[in-house]
Amino acid sequence: MISGHPIDLPQRIIIGENVLDNIGTQVSELFNKGKSVLVFTGPNVYKKYYNKVKESLEDKGFSVSYMITDMPTVEYAKSLSDEVSKDNFDILLGLGGGRSIDLTKYVAMNLDKNFISVPTAASHDGITSPFVTLRGFDRFHSKPAKPPKLILIDINIIIDAPKRHNAAGFGDLIGKYTSVLDWRLAHKLKGEYYGEYAASLALMSAKHVSIYSNEIGLGNKEGIRVLSEALVSSGVAMCIAGSSRPASGSEHLFAHALEMVSKNPPLHGEAVGVGTIMMSYLYGKDWRRIRKLLKTVGAPTNYKELGVTEEEILKALTKAVSIRPERYTILGESGLNEKAAEELAKNTFVIG
């Protein structure tokens, strides 16, 4: 018997050049005028884009306020939610990178508010997904949330983002090659629900950016548009699946573990890309191609390029299975021991 789950999808997705200039029009077409908007953003993004967003929204009759966000931890997200609940904001808008958007998503879920996603870098598929990942004391916490009502992606802004951030988005998408394999494996061995359509959509996102890796590496408009669209479709795949399964597997477990054990954590998508190299090896897939694709876009492929130590790579590999023990992957139930981790990392040139 097939169990059912609700499919919540974004109501509107706008991708194009200079679309931020008309954000007021887009929001007014979805929501009544005269409502209040709270913008969550980081200090740098605030300086570059907040005034443009504020003026466009105010021109359409919205009242606009802002908050500068901090680290996306469970504790901070809860305190932020409590603080925002004291005021009667109607719409929460995440303007910035993954940090601001994840925190906006969490608060919107907690307070049952409408949520708008306006990314300023194509660094991961959280810009669309109905899930939020927050850091706790001993592990990362992934919680279900609502997808944004409106996603607005300005290609000119994404192009202007640090190249490293967009390369990280490519790494996050490449991870779908192994996350889908992990989902199928869990279905076959554990009887877990598997949705072919959602899996195919996630896999298509990875294949599409692979075809455009040169353009993405060059950072031209065509490549950045493809990257942005693929991140959106990956998030939609999660909406359809009702879980993060199509987009998050063993490569993400490694990435989260590495982000936790590293003194100088890499970007999430950077760690996912390197994790995908190693997990592809475990599956007997063409890990050298994954490595080459990451190099093409300028993403890290080894510990030095990630800015971490060999010891941290090995610690993350052995710790990965404990990040989400309920999520069955190619790592099995007990994970890798130190010897297996070292052999894997060396065979794929992740460590020396």
Side-chain angles (χ1 to χ4, degrees), residues 71-72 124 133 135 140 172 251-272 306 308 312 316 319 323:
M71 290 299 291
H124 64 70
T133 301
R135 185 168 181 168
F140 276 79
D172 194 26
E251 74 296 322
H252 270 67
L253 299 181
F254 164 77
H256 289 317
L258 185 62
E259 290 165 65
M260 293 192 70
V261 304
S262 299
K263 292 181 180 178
N264 180 36
L267 294 176
H268 171 69
E270 292 177 329
V272 170
L306 281 172
V308 302
E312 287 170 341
K319 180 181 178 64
I323 297 297

Side-chain angles (χ1 to χ4, degrees), residues 145-222:
K146 292 181 179 179
K149 286 280 187 182
L150 169 66
I151 305 167
L152 191 147
I153 302 176
D154 193 318
I155 297 300
N156 291 331
I157 290 175
I158 303 299
I159 287 176
D160 194 45
K163 186 177 179 181
R164 179 189 176 194
H165 287 256
N166 293 337
F170 181 90
D172 194 26
L173 287 165
I174 285 297
K176 312 324 169 197
Y177 282 122
T178 49
S179 62
V180 169
L181 291 173
D182 283 327
W183 196 15
R184 289 176 185 164
L185 186 67
H187 172 65
K188 291 178 180 177
L189 299 185
K190 300 294 182 179
E192 188 175 319
Y193 161 76
Y194 175 76
E196 185 64 47
Y197 183 85
S200 297
L201 185 58
L203 196 56
M204 183 187 71
S205 302
K207 290 178 178 178
H208 203 48
V209 293
S210 297
I211 294 170
Y212 282 84
S213 59
N214 286 321
E215 290 81 358
I216 293 169
L218 291 171
N220 61 36
K221 288 181 180 179
E222 185 179 18

Side-chain angles (χ1 to χ4, degrees), residues 17-38:
E17 296 182 47
N18 302 316
V19 294
L20 190 66
D21 297 343
N22 298 313
I23 187 171
T25 299
Q26 296 297 333
V27 175
S28 67
E29 289 179 359
L30 290 179
F31 306 101
N32 295 329
K33 296 179 182 179
K35 289 183 175 277
S36 56
V37 180
L38 177 61

Side-chain angles (χ1 to χ4, degrees), residues 75-137:
E75 293 73 26
Y76 176 67
K78 288 179 179 177
S79 67
L80 187 61
S81 185
D82 290 340
E83 186 176 350
V84 174
S85 69
K86 298 173 185 176
D87 295 298
N88 191 28
F89 293 104
D90 302 299
I91 301 166
L92 305 182
L93 189 154
L95 173 68
R99 175 188 302 182
S100 296
I101 289 175
D102 266 355
L103 288 169
T104 311
K105 195 186 301 184
Y106 177 87
V107 176
M109 171 194 67
N110 262 13
L111 304 182
D112 194 25
K113 300 291 184 182
N114 289 309
F115 161 48
I116 297 173
S117 175
V118 185
T120 55
S123 55
H124 64 70
D125 54 20
I127 60 177
T128 319
S129 77
F131 296 91
V132 57
T133 301
L134 301 169
R135 185 168 181 168
F137 289 113

